[in-house]
């Protein structure tokens, strides 16, 4: 009888950890644009394209100034771009990392460091903290993905 746990099984605690974290990060990635839309509607500004100045039920009183950069809206857009630069790399590196069967504690440390640092980065960015603070948060998320990728490479050579 084979008692080995399948790598891509909920019985594998490393895969289980990754699944939870990946879903959290995917939800973050998908909800961030909604935050931008809410901010656009609240500010009545931050629209991007000339056709956005047409009168619609969601924009009943269009004004030329709606196309100007609005910091309140643009901050959310920049956060979304930052997520788009970071989260896909985590999803791929994390999945490959799971495939090589890392120790559970190492996986938990790296995966939750990524998620935690992205959460703190979100707070730092939405509250307009200085670059040094945002960079500190970003660094931990970046390093955890780099370690996952390097560990994976070392296991396949």
């Amino acid at each position: 009888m084979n008692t080995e746990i399948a790598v891509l099984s909920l019985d594998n605690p490393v895969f289980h950890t990754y699944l939870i974290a990946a879903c959290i990060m995917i939800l973050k990635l998908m909800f961030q644009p909604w935050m931008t839309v809410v901010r656009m509607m609240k500010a009545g500004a931050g629209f991007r394209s000339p056709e956005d100045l047409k009168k619609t039920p969601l924009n009943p009183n269009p004004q030329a100034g709606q196309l100007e950069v609005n910091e309140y809206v643009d901050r959310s857009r920049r956060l979304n771009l930052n997520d788009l630069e970071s989260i896909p790399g985590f999803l791929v590196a994390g999945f490959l990392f799971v495939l090589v069967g890392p120790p559970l504690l190492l996986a938990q440390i790296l995966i939750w460091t990524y998620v935690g640092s992205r959460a703190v980065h979100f707070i730092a960015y939405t509250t307009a903290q200085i670059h040094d603070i945002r960079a500190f948060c970003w660094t931990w998320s970046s390093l955890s993905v780099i370690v996952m990728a390097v560990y994976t490479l070392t296991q396949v050579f």
Side-chain angles (χ1 to χ4, degrees):
M1 180 177 182
N2 187 355
T3 59
E4 191 174 312
I5 296 173
V7 173
L8 300 181
S9 162
L10 290 177
D11 293 330
N12 177 355
V14 173
F15 184 59
H16 189 260
T17 300
Y18 169 76
L19 279 182
I20 293 168
C23 286
I24 290 168
M25 298 316 302
I26 290 168
L27 288 171
K28 166 65 175 94
L29 187 61
M30 299 312 294
F31 281 127
Q32 188 61 51
W34 284 101
M35 181 176 161
T36 302
V37 169
V38 167
R39 286 179 171 219
M40 283 174 58
M41 295 297 105
K42 185 176 177 182
F47 294 82
R48 287 243 152 125
S49 302
E51 62 272 14
D52 295 341
L53 290 181
K54 293 180 181 175
K55 186 175 181 175
T56 69
L58 293 177
N59 191 16
N61 300 307
Q63 300 169 8
Q66 287 178 312
L67 294 182
E68 295 173 8
V69 173
N70 178 285
E71 177 55 25
Y72 179 66
V73 175
D74 211 48
R75 177 166 297 279
S76 183
R77 275 198 183 101
R78 291 191 305 268
L79 243 174
N80 189 224
L81 289 173
N82 190 279
D83 285 346
L84 287 167
E85 294 169 352
S86 177
I87 294 173
F90 164 74
L91 294 173
V92 173
F95 184 73
L96 298 174
F97 183 62
V98 167
L99 293 178
V100 298
L104 177 59
L105 182 59
L106 176 64
Q108 289 173 329
I109 289 169
L110 293 173
I111 289 169
W112 293 120
T113 294
Y114 179 84
V115 172
S117 63
R118 292 303 298 172
V120 176
H121 179 269
F122 170 79
I123 292 166
Y125 213 109
T126 56
T127 60
Q129 300 302 310
I130 60 172
H131 178 264
D132 300 19
I133 293 171
R134 296 188 327 265
F136 179 79
C137 300
W138 173 87
T139 297
W140 288 104
S141 66
S142 178
L143 288 174
S144 64
V145 171
I146 290 168
V147 170
M148 283 187 257
V150 169
Y151 182 90
T152 302
L153 277 172
T154 64
Q155 297 305 299
V156 297
F157 282 114

